[in-house]
């Protein structure tokens, strides 16, 4: 892919004024950020004239046994580069601020992550399940999801008399 | 009133019955019953032939072959197969529907569609009811077709049918006016409302389509809108509101709606032939009613041709087109006819 | 005082013109739409969960079932993602065959898009012509990969079967037909006043709104933003081919229709160039039977027919992917549905669905 | 003029009204499928199949349900080859992974059924299973015959060995030098005898195979 990853000093410049941001030393280091400083970082990435990461291409979550990482892939046509922002959340009640204030187009994807992975996004316009039926229990994409087949609904007959005949 | 083949036959028949029974009242009654039977025969024949014709025309225009399974290589028994299928369909009454209105609406729709056929001059003198205010009575009756659609839409307790019902009322009423106004020009020229006089006025090859081209275009568009066919088939726009008023009908009830629709289609074609294409007039190597048949079938083909080429217009476009374009044009046409007649000193 | 009441009309999931099992809750005031809320999930098969318990080779046939009308582009996206992850070099001949197949599939998918748009507006004849022309492409696919819709032809490391001479002959014949049937649609649909009046100025969308809603593909290009990943990323051999990106101005249904029509002509141009530039040689790279990509993650995006199709794969060094997320263009484009239907009539909501052209297999994944 | 677009549209449809039609009547004329067409049911030849079950492992949707039988010679053969066309993705992974390339599609795409249970096809017909049983039984018979032959041969060898040991004991001092040569001789003899024995069963097997092939063709 022609899009290059951000170079080390560009990442350092981004990290400059955030103290909870941590970037480790691998080849294409994702930016780990705490939920508190997540929205300001996204604001900076999108609006800073030297960065202009305007296209939030992919928003998803990965279930690592102990934590759930929410992953954001941002692309900038101005720099011709992309960057990965990750937010670690606690496994049993994951809660991070919704990015729809910065990227309104992330609404459906956030609802899908909530529906399949169980990560709640505070400040989301309508935080509901999108793919699963409303009364579905559990989040299927988690590694420890056990699926028990629901009992088939009992066929109820509407009109009166035949009921006795069947019962 | 000259004697044509059909009217001669009728007179001969009347003479025979009178000779048999000696009572004039009985022979008139017998003749009327035979006439009615013939007309109902024509309507059902039309429905059967046109279901098959429409499928074949539609198929040919869509690079397909069309029905070729039932009845020989050309699928001639297809309409019979359709009828049998419709008869065997279960007659589902939607829950919460207003039973009386729901059952009544297909029957009520069929009444005006059939009644109108009494006034058409199939041949010189061969008219069931020779009324001297033919045009006026004709459109008064065909105006009744609006109510049954609305009844069907309201009674079947279904939001799509309700929307379809509203659409049919707005469309048919707004195209009633241009339909009538476009014929005013012809009435001014012939001076009489009797259908046979209008046909006679076109003798000698001077068909009104050449004298009144603008009126013909307006009439054709309004007639297509009256019979709810593309590009104005908003009523049963299947991709938007499934089938409009007759979404909830199935089996023979739906067949009755279908029959009425094809009867209306044939009515529109026959009106176009009588008013603009010189009815039963034609070079005399063929009898009058055969010319009448050829022209009517030709007009039906043109209307079907519209259906398989044009997309559907939207509701508000139909209404604005009807009121803002068709009506003023038809009034302009009346004005022009008047000016031309004064210039030629016919007044 | 006249009191009117809005009512809720449930369009779908069983409806003739919602493409597949899409349900839209329309809040209506008479015939004018106040709110259109799509309800998704009727075709959710949990493909991402399935992929976690299958090897990389076994995941590929599932990508056919995502956007089942352009399954070649899905295979292309997934195969490229795994090749980038495992560092496999695809031979040049296979790259060209992949581009030919992907572009043929783009024409095939746009033909369905335009055919269903014409059918939803009432011109069923237009749809029949589109499906007739589509058959020629399906014959080529049948000849090359043995299937007509779910191809599983582009594999990890290359393609399954070679581009035989018969396939080349069929493709040449098809390329001659393309300008003919495009001009036929122009005569039948584009010039038709009723058709134009039904889609000009309907559900218009400005470039800023489209970018905010993260829309991609023909829907975004209709608003004037010339973003096409084949040019932007230049993946595979797209960098060497010259083609231009058709762009609309107002972002209404008319521009979306025009963008799709022009894109078909562009794809034909691309296929023409690929046929000439295709070298001889291998069609499959050396791929180990038990492919174990190194631990890590990759996000590779390609230009699907409906927008940016991205595959995010996390591998933990075993033969099975740890997590696969598919960035599905139709799913994200559905967010524009509410904006496009607001204030329109019921008849226009139908033309809005078919101009977004969602494929429910891809939306519900 | 307002109607120009409409009229050109009508021109197109009337042109097709009289033009050539595209339909072909399905049940009478069938669309020719390419030779690489993946459709219908899987067919396999149980004689070639080595029962490795690679195809069942490669299938993403577990559409192959195989039962394998080992014959007396520890070689595996396929007894039931259930192919659930309902579950099958037609992705061709099984055909490509088969080491002996015996899996083919029978290209009969008209295999729709009334209910889901009937969408299960067994690539091994009953006749195949009957042939398999014959094959298994005669392999067993051969194996038993070989076992007896081997046992008999060992018994003779042992008896001869004792006889030689009995002669050789009285002149033990010279035995070391002579003992060395007879041992290789014995070995040579033993080597010759098993070769002879092997030759016999091979001949037999070749005859059986020929007879089976004749049976196969008949």
């Amino acid at each position: 892919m022609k899009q290059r990853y951000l170079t080390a000093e560009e990442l350092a410049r981004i990290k400059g004024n955030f103290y909870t941001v941590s970037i480790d030393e691998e080849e294409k280091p994702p930016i780990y950020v705490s939920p508190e400083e997540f929205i300001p970082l996204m604001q900076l990435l999108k609006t800073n004239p030297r960065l202009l990461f305007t296209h939030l291409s992919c928003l998803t979550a990965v279930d690592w046994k102990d934590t759930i990482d929410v992953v954001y892939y941002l692309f900038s046509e101005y720099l011709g580069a992309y960057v990965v922002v990750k937010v670690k959340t606690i496994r049993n009640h994951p809660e991070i601020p919704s990015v729809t204030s910065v990227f309104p187009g992330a609404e459906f994807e956030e609802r899908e992550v909530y529906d399949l992975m169980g990560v709640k996004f505070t400040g989301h316009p309508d935080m509901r399940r999108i793919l699963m039926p409303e009364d579905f229990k559990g989040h299927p994409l988690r590694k420890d999801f056990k699926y028990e087949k629901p009992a088939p609904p009992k066929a109820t007959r509407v009109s009166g008399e035949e009921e006795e005949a069947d019962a | 009133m000259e004697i044509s083949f059909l009217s001669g036959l009728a007179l001969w028949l009347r003479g025979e019955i009178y000779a048999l029974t000696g009572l004039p009242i009985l022979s008139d009654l017998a003749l009327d019953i035979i006439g009615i039977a013939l007309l109902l025969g024509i309507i059902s024949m039309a429905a059967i032939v046109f279901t098959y014709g429409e499928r074949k025309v539609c198929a040919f225009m869509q690079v397909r072959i069309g029905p070729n399974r039932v009845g020989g290589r050309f699928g001639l028994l297809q309409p019979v197969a359709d009828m049998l299928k419709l008869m065997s369909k279960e007659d589902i009454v939607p829950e919460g529907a207003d039973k009386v209105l729901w059952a009544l609406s297909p029957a009520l729709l069929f009444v005006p569609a059939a009644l109108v056929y009494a006034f058409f001059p199939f041949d010189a003198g061969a008219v069931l009811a020779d009324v001297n205010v033919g045009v006026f009575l004709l459109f008064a009756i065909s105006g009744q077709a609006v109510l049954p659609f609305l009844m069907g839409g309201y009674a079947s307790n279904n939001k799509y049918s309700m929307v379809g019902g509203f659409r049919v009322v707005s469309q048919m009423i707004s195209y009633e006016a241009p339909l009538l106004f476009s014929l005013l020009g012809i009435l001014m020229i012939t001076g009489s409302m009797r259908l046979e006089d209008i046909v006679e006025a076109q003798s000698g090859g001077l068909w009104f389509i050449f004298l009144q081209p603008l009126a013909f275009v307006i009439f054709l568009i309004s007639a297509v809108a009256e019979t709810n066919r593309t590009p104005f088939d908003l009523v049963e726009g299947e991709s938007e509101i499934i089938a409009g008023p007759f979404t909830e009908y199935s089996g023979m009830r739906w067949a009755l709606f279908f029959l009425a629709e094809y009867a209306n289609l044939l009515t529109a074609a026959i009106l176009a032939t009588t008013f603009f294409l010189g009815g039963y007039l034609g070079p005399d190597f063929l009898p009058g009613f055969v010319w009448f048949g050829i022209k009517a079938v030709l007009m039906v083909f043109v209307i079907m041709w519209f259906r398989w080429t044009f997309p559907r217009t939207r509701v508000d476009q139909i209404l604005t087109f009807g009121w803002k374009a068709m009506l003023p044009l038809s009034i302009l046409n009346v004005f022009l006819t008047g000016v031309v007649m004064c210039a030629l000193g016919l007044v | 005082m006249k009191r009117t009441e809005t009512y809720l009309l449930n369009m779908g999931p069983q409806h003739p013109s919602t493409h597949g099992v899409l349900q839209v809750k329309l809040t209506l005031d008479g015939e004018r739409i106040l709110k259109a809320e799509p309800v998704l999930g009727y075709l959710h098969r949990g493909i991402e969960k399935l992929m976690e318990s299958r090897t990389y080779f076994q995941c590929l046939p599932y990508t056919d079932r995502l956007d089942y009308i352009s399954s070649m582009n899905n295979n292309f996206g997934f195969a490229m993602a795994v090749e980038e992850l495992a560092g496999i070099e695809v031979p040049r001949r296979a790259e060209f065959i992949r581009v030919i197949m992907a572009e043929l599939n783009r024409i095939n998918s746009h033909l369905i898009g335009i055919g269903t748009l014409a059918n939803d507006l009432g011109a069923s004849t237009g749809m029949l012509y589109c499906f007739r022309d589509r058959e020629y492409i399906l014959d080529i696919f049948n000849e090359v990969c043995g299937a007509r819709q779910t191809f599983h032809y582009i594999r990890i490391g290359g393609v399954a079967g070679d581009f035989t001479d018969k396939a080349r002959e069929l493709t040449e014949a098809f390329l001659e037909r393309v300008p003919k049937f495009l001009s036929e649609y122009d005569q039948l649909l584009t010039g038709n006043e009723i058709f134009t009046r039904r889609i000009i100025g309907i559900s218009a969308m400005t470039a800023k709104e489209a970018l905010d809603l993260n829309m991609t593909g023909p829907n975004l290009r209709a608003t004037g933003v010339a973003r096409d990943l084949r040019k932007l990323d230049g993946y595979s051999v797209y960098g060497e081919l010259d083609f231009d990106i058709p762009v609309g101005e107002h972002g209404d249904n008319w521009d979306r229709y025009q963008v799709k029509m022009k894109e078909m002509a562009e794809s034909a141009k691309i296929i023409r160039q690929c046929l000439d530039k295709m070298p001889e040689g291998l069609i499959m790279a050396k791929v180990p039977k038990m492919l174990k990509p190194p631990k890590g993650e990759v996000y590779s995006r390609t230009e699907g027919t409906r927008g940016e199709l991205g595959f995010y794969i996390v591998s933990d060094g075993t033969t099975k992917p740890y997590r696969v997320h598919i960035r599905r263009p139709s799913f994200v484009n559905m967010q524009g549905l509410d904006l496009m239907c607001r204030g329109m009539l019921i008849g226009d909501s139908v033309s809005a669905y078919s101009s977004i052209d969602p494929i429910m297999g891809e939306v519900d994944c | 003029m307002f109607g120009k677009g409409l009229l050109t549209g009508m021109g197109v449809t009337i042109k097709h009204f009289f033009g050539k039609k595209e339909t072909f009547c399905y049940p009478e004329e069938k669309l020719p499928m390419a030779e690489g067409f993946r459709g219908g049911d899987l067919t396999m030849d149980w004689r070639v199949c080595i029962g490795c079950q690679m195809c069942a492992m490669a299938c993403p949707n577990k559409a192959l349900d195989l039962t394998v039988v080992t014959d007396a010679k520890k070689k595996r053969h396929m007894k039931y080859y259930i192919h659930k066309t309902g579950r099958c993705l037609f992705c061709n992974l099984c055909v490509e992974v088969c080491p002996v390339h015996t899996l083919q599609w029978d290209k009969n795409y008209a295999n729709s059924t009334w209910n889901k249970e009937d969408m299960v096809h067994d690539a091994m017909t009953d006749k195949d299973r009957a042939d398999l049983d014959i094959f298994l039984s005669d392999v067993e018979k051969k194996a038993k015959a070989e076992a007896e032959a081997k046992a008999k041969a060992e018994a003779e060898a042992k008896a001869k060995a004792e006889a030689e040991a009995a002669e050789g004991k009285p002149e033990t001092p010279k035995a070391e030098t002579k003992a060395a040569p007879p041992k290789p001789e014995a070995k040579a003899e033993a080597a010759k005898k098993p070769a002879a024995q092997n030759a016999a069963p091979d001949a037999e097997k070749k005859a059986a195979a020929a007879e089976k092939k004749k049976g196969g063709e008949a």
Side-chain angles (χ1 to χ4, degrees):
Chain A
M1 182 153 69
K2 223 164 57 182
Q3 307 285 343
R4 64 173 177 78
Y5 197 72
L6 279 185
T7 56
E9 90 286 352
E10 280 167 334
L11 286 170
R13 197 157 11 89
I14 293 172
K15 181 178 180 326
N17 32 32
F18 292 99
Y19 48 87
T20 63
V21 163
S22 76
I23 303 171
D24 41 25
E25 290 342 325
E26 337 137 3
E27 196 245 344
K28 288 181 181 163
I31 304 176
Y32 283 97
V33 72
S34 70
E36 292 72 29
E37 285 210 321
F38 169 58
I39 295 295
L41 174 72
M42 286 302 232
Q43 208 88 34
L44 168 84
L45 286 175
K46 179 167 183 183
T47 51
N48 181 316
R50 282 209 308 283
L51 295 169
L52 288 183
F53 281 93
T54 52
H55 179 52
L56 170 62
S57 170
C58 162
L59 186 159
T60 182
V62 183
D63 176 8
W64 301 101
K65 295 294 177 290
D66 42 12
T67 73
I68 291 186
D69 279 6
V70 186
V71 180
Y72 298 82
Y73 266 77
L74 294 152
F75 283 79
S76 144
E77 278 170 32
Y78 168 66
L79 291 173
Y82 70 101
V83 73
V84 181
V85 175
K86 292 197 178 176
V87 186
K88 280 204 180 324
T89 60
I90 318 121
R91 185 137 174 34
N92 28 40
H93 52 82
E95 184 93 29
I96 67 169
S98 157
V99 82
T100 39
S101 54
V102 181
F103 292 99
E107 189 191 333
F108 271 24
E109 281 174 318
E110 279 188 350
R111 275 178 65 186
E112 185 196 16
V113 167
Y114 163 68
D115 187 353
L116 301 181
M117 209 56 118
V119 178
K120 270 205 180 25
F121 293 89
T122 54
H124 187 276
D126 89 50
M127 196 77 254
R128 272 183 302 121
R129 284 185 181 274
I130 191 162
L131 293 177
M132 286 295 159
E134 264 68 23
D135 52 5
F136 186 82
K137 277 176 287 305
H139 301 288
L141 266 180
R142 287 192 174 199
K143 291 293 178 185
D144 59 358
F145 174 72
K146 290 288 166 295
Y147 176 62
E148 64 292 336
K149 215 173 208 0
K154 204 180 96 34
T156 57
R157 191 169 292 276
V158 172
S159 54
E161 324 75 41
E162 290 91 355
E163 233 148 280
E164 287 73 28
D166 291 353
Chain B
M1 191 176 85
E2 322 88 13
I3 302 300
S4 67
F5 175 76
L6 271 185
S7 53
L9 194 70
L11 287 178
W12 170 76
L13 206 62
R14 187 203 300 268
E16 284 304 316
I17 296 173
Y18 181 68
L20 267 169
T21 57
L23 288 172
I25 188 82
L26 212 61
S27 61
D28 292 349
L29 189 65
L31 208 62
D32 288 347
I33 289 168
I34 292 165
I36 291 167
L38 255 174
L39 286 185
L40 286 181
I42 286 176
I43 293 171
S44 44
M45 262 304 291
I48 289 179
V49 165
F50 287 150
T51 42
Y52 175 72
E54 176 116 57
R55 291 163 80 109
K56 269 292 182 188
V57 162
C58 155
F60 274 33
M61 286 192 181
Q62 294 179 346
V63 199
R64 294 187 283 119
I65 290 180
N68 61 354
R69 285 274 179 267
V70 187
R73 224 161 61 73
F74 299 102
L76 293 171
L77 286 182
Q78 187 64 35
V80 176
D82 286 348
M83 228 22 111
L84 286 180
K85 174 199 77 172
L86 285 175
M87 278 175 200
S88 64
K89 278 266 176 75
E90 184 200 356
D91 185 7
I92 303 162
V93 179
E95 186 206 333
D98 181 338
K99 294 275 184 308
V100 172
L101 277 184
W102 190 76
L104 211 56
S105 82
L108 266 187
L109 183 66
F110 189 69
V111 164
L115 205 56
V116 165
Y117 278 78
F119 309 108
F120 293 145
F122 292 94
D123 207 335
V127 171
L128 190 60
D130 189 352
V131 179
N132 54 19
V133 275
V135 173
F136 178 74
L137 197 56
L138 198 77
F139 286 106
I141 291 172
S142 76
Q144 305 309 320
V146 180
L147 210 56
F149 275 113
L150 188 59
M151 275 162 61
Y154 163 74
S156 41
N157 184 19
N158 169 346
K159 284 181 184 150
Y160 287 114
S161 312
M162 202 58 204
V163 170
F166 292 150
R167 285 185 177 182
V168 91
V169 170
S170 54
Q171 175 180 324
M172 288 181 95
I173 287 175
S174 68
Y175 274 89
E176 200 76 26
L179 191 70
L180 279 172
F181 272 87
S182 65
L183 299 180
L184 278 187
I186 295 175
L187 299 185
M188 285 158 70
I189 294 173
T190 51
S192 125
M193 280 209 269
R194 198 162 148 274
L195 286 172
E196 263 199 62
D197 293 352
I198 294 174
V199 173
E200 289 314 325
Q202 297 173 44
S203 57
L206 256 178
W207 291 352
F208 281 129
I209 186 169
F210 308 120
L211 296 179
Q212 300 259 331
L214 182 58
F216 177 69
V217 169
I218 298 168
F219 176 83
L220 196 60
I221 293 174
S222 313
V224 164
E226 276 299 305
T227 53
N228 301 328
R229 287 184 66 84
T230 311
F232 304 98
D233 66 345
L234 250 295
V235 165
E236 36 93 22
E238 53 278 346
S239 68
E240 288 149 23
I241 42 171
I242 322 278
F246 30 87
T247 317
E248 293 296 341
Y249 287 86
S250 63
M252 278 318 283
R253 285 187 209 281
W254 184 77
L256 214 53
F257 264 116
F258 208 64
L259 195 68
E261 194 200 317
Y262 275 109
N264 283 339
L265 169 66
L266 185 59
T267 317
I270 287 173
L271 285 178
T273 358
T274 351
F275 286 113
F276 291 95
L277 299 178
Y280 46 81
L281 298 173
D284 48 15
F285 58 86
L286 281 176
F289 64 90
V290 171
W291 278 113
F292 186 84
I294 290 170
K295 292 177 193 164
V297 167
L298 195 74
M299 281 315 294
V300 166
F301 174 77
V302 168
I303 295 177
M304 282 182 186
W305 189 4
F306 288 161
R307 175 168 188 181
W308 300 112
T309 319
F310 300 141
R312 192 174 301 119
T313 44
R314 224 184 27 219
V315 173
D316 58 335
Q317 285 169 347
I318 287 182
L319 299 185
T320 44
F321 184 65
W323 291 107
K324 292 202 180 100
M326 282 293 124
L327 197 54
L329 267 179
S330 50
I331 294 169
L332 174 74
N333 174 42
V334 169
F335 173 71
L336 282 179
T337 327
V339 162
V340 165
M341 282 175 72
C342 290
L344 296 178
L346 288 173
V347 169
Chain C
M1 198 272 286
K2 184 161 63 62
R3 186 179 64 81
T4 57
E5 190 186 300
T6 66
Y7 64 103
L8 179 76
L9 180 69
N10 209 336
M11 217 168 192
Q14 170 64 26
H15 188 274
S17 71
T18 53
H19 297 238
V21 263
L22 160 71
Q23 177 189 356
V24 185
K25 283 192 183 146
L26 295 176
T27 321
L28 291 167
D29 169 15
E31 278 221 19
R32 206 152 286 285
I33 299 171
L34 304 180
K35 191 163 98 64
E37 187 220 336
V39 177
L40 309 176
Y42 286 94
L43 199 57
H44 179 59
R45 296 147 296 184
I47 286 187
E48 290 172 355
K49 185 80 175 177
L50 284 176
M51 282 188 174
E52 280 171 11
S53 54
R54 276 153 182 75
T55 69
Y56 287 96
F57 299 109
Q58 288 173 336
C59 288
L60 213 57
Y62 290 95
T63 59
D64 281 339
R65 268 81 180 166
L66 280 174
D67 175 352
Y68 39 75
I69 288 187
S70 57
S71 38
M72 203 64 91
N73 299 19
N74 304 340
N75 292 354
F76 200 178
F78 187 80
M80 267 177 54
V82 177
E83 278 146 18
E84 200 176 325
L85 196 62
I88 300 169
E89 179 60 31
V90 180
R92 255 178 85 73
R93 181 176 172 80
E95 287 286 5
F96 278 102
I97 295 179
R98 283 181 173 186
V99 167
I100 290 176
M101 289 296 143
E103 291 311 317
L104 274 177
N105 214 321
R106 193 183 304 277
I107 296 179
N108 173 353
S109 159
H110 282 330
L111 277 178
I112 288 189
I114 285 168
T116 39
L117 173 66
N119 188 33
D120 287 351
L121 298 182
S124 57
T125 321
M127 187 177 90
L128 261 300
Y129 294 164
C130 289
F131 276 79
R132 170 202 64 190
D133 299 323
R134 217 178 128 246
E135 280 306 312
Y136 293 98
I137 304 179
L138 295 189
D139 292 347
I140 302 172
F141 287 146
N142 193 0
E143 174 57 36
V144 172
C145 35
R148 287 167 62 88
Q149 182 158 13
T150 53
F151 308 114
H152 190 228
Y153 171 68
I154 296 180
R155 302 291 170 79
I156 296 166
V159 279
D162 201 348
F163 194 72
T164 55
D165 299 342
K166 186 162 190 308
R168 178 180 279 270
E169 209 183 281
L170 288 172
T171 321
E172 305 268 2
F174 173 70
L175 286 184
E176 271 122 39
R177 282 185 58 81
V178 168
K180 276 208 283 295
F181 69 67
L182 284 183
S183 74
E184 193 174 64
Y185 299 151
D186 282 346
Q187 281 168 18
L188 186 71
L189 294 176
T190 324
N192 195 319
E193 277 79 5
I194 302 174
F195 188 77
T196 43
R197 191 139 295 111
R198 268 302 289 277
I199 53 176
I200 282 189
I202 307 295
S203 46
M205 185 186 276
T206 64
K208 186 184 169 321
E209 279 162 356
L211 285 170
D212 278 355
L213 286 177
N214 226 342
M215 295 189 86
T216 52
N219 296 310
L220 178 65
R221 287 194 284 276
T223 58
V225 177
R227 172 191 290 167
D228 185 328
L229 297 183
R230 293 174 295 179
K231 269 278 194 262
L232 209 60
D233 285 1
Y235 53 91
S236 176
V237 286
Y238 278 109
E240 308 162 22
L241 307 169
D242 80 327
F243 58 94
D244 39 31
I245 310 166
V247 163
E249 307 105 42
H250 315 298
D252 54 6
N253 283 348
W254 170 257
D255 280 331
R256 290 189 192 94
Y257 165 77
Q258 280 298 345
V259 162
K260 283 185 192 142
M261 285 287 272
K262 294 196 186 93
E263 258 183 25
M264 282 204 270
E266 290 309 315
S267 295
K269 220 163 70 176
I270 292 174
I271 297 171
R272 179 75 263 154
Q273 291 168 42
C274 283
L275 279 180
D276 306 339
K277 284 190 177 146
M278 184 149 69
E280 292 309 317
L282 286 172
I283 54 164
M284 193 56 156
K286 187 85 196 56
V287 183
K289 274 278 177 295
M290 302 299 287
L291 178 67
K292 284 193 171 67
K295 195 188 268 287
E297 62 181 46
V298 74
Y299 177 71
S300 104
R301 53 181 200 166
T302 57
E303 182 65 32
T305 47
R306 279 152 189 82
E308 175 188 325
L309 175 69
F311 282 89
Y312 170 72
I313 304 178
V314 176
S315 98
D316 56 359
T318 66
T319 59
K320 296 186 165 74
Y322 184 76
R323 166 81 162 104
V324 176
H325 173 70
I326 300 147
R327 193 263 185 208
R328 314 174 301 275
S330 294
F331 179 67
V332 182
N333 289 350
M334 282 309 277
Q335 290 170 134
L337 189 72
D338 185 30
L339 184 74
M340 285 163 76
C341 286
R342 209 169 280 252
M344 296 292 152
L345 294 172
I346 296 182
D348 299 330
S349 73
V350 165
S351 73
Y353 306 151
S354 42
S355 60
I356 287 187
D357 197 3
I359 300 293
M360 292 323 287
E362 181 174 60
V363 171
D364 295 342
C365 181
Chain D
M1 196 263 279
F2 171 75
K4 201 176 84 52
L6 306 179
L7 295 181
T8 44
M10 287 169 79
V12 170
T13 38
I14 203 71
K15 183 157 62 68
H16 283 293
F17 184 79
F18 297 107
K20 197 180 74 54
K21 301 294 173 283
E22 296 275 342
T23 352
F24 66 90
C25 307
Y26 167 63
E28 289 84 16
E29 331 147 11
K30 284 221 159 104
L31 194 66
M33 281 296 141
E35 90 290 349
F37 175 61
R38 316 191 301 249
D41 303 321
L42 276 177
T43 58
M44 49 89 72
D45 177 0
W46 63 272
R47 294 173 188 78
V48 177
C49 168
I50 55 170
C52 61
Q53 295 200 7
M54 288 280 284
C55 48
M57 281 183 280
C59 175
N61 241 11
K62 297 184 185 37
L64 290 173
D65 171 7
L66 321 178
T67 48
V68 180
V69 169
T70 56
D71 64 6
K73 282 251 183 64
K74 298 286 172 299
K75 276 182 69 263
R76 287 189 296 247
H77 294 287
M78 193 61 63
K79 191 155 178 56
Y80 288 96
Y81 194 92
I82 309 287
H83 171 228
K84 302 190 185 97
T85 32
R87 287 189 69 93
C88 174
L89 293 176
F90 294 100
C91 60
N92 224 17
L93 278 177
C94 50
V95 171
E96 280 153 15
V97 85
C98 176
V100 288
H101 303 300
T102 173
L103 276 178
Q104 259 109 31
W105 293 101
D106 75 351
K107 297 192 179 39
N108 149 34
Y109 48 78
N111 54 2
S112 50
T113 57
W114 283 105
N115 46 37
K116 216 161 43 160
E117 289 65 30
D118 297 352
M119 291 198 85
V120 171
H121 168 78
D122 189 350
M124 290 263 300
T125 56
D126 294 344
K127 196 181 98 34
D128 286 350
R129 257 186 292 284
D131 295 352
L132 178 69
D133 295 345
I134 304 161
F135 178 76
L136 289 183
S137 54
D138 71 45
V139 161
E140 214 158 332
K141 268 212 288 328
K142 261 213 292 340
K144 228 190 266 77
E146 258 163 41
E148 280 141 17
K150 202 179 290 111
K152 207 152 43 342
E154 268 142 26
E156 282 153 18
K158 215 183 304 76
K160 197 179 290 78
E162 275 135 18
E164 279 146 12
E167 283 155 21
K169 213 182 281 52
E171 330 108 2
T172 50
K174 283 201 282 325
E176 292 79 18
T177 58
K178 211 184 297 141
K183 210 177 281 54
E185 223 172 63
K187 211 180 287 90
E189 228 168 53
K192 200 152 57 326
K193 193 176 275 86
Q197 263 156 15
N198 286 352
D202 282 355
E204 234 168 53
K205 191 180 292 170
K206 230 182 260 67
E211 167 246 65
K212 191 165 22 17
K213 206 168 266 77
K214 259 202 306 316
E217 273 118 29

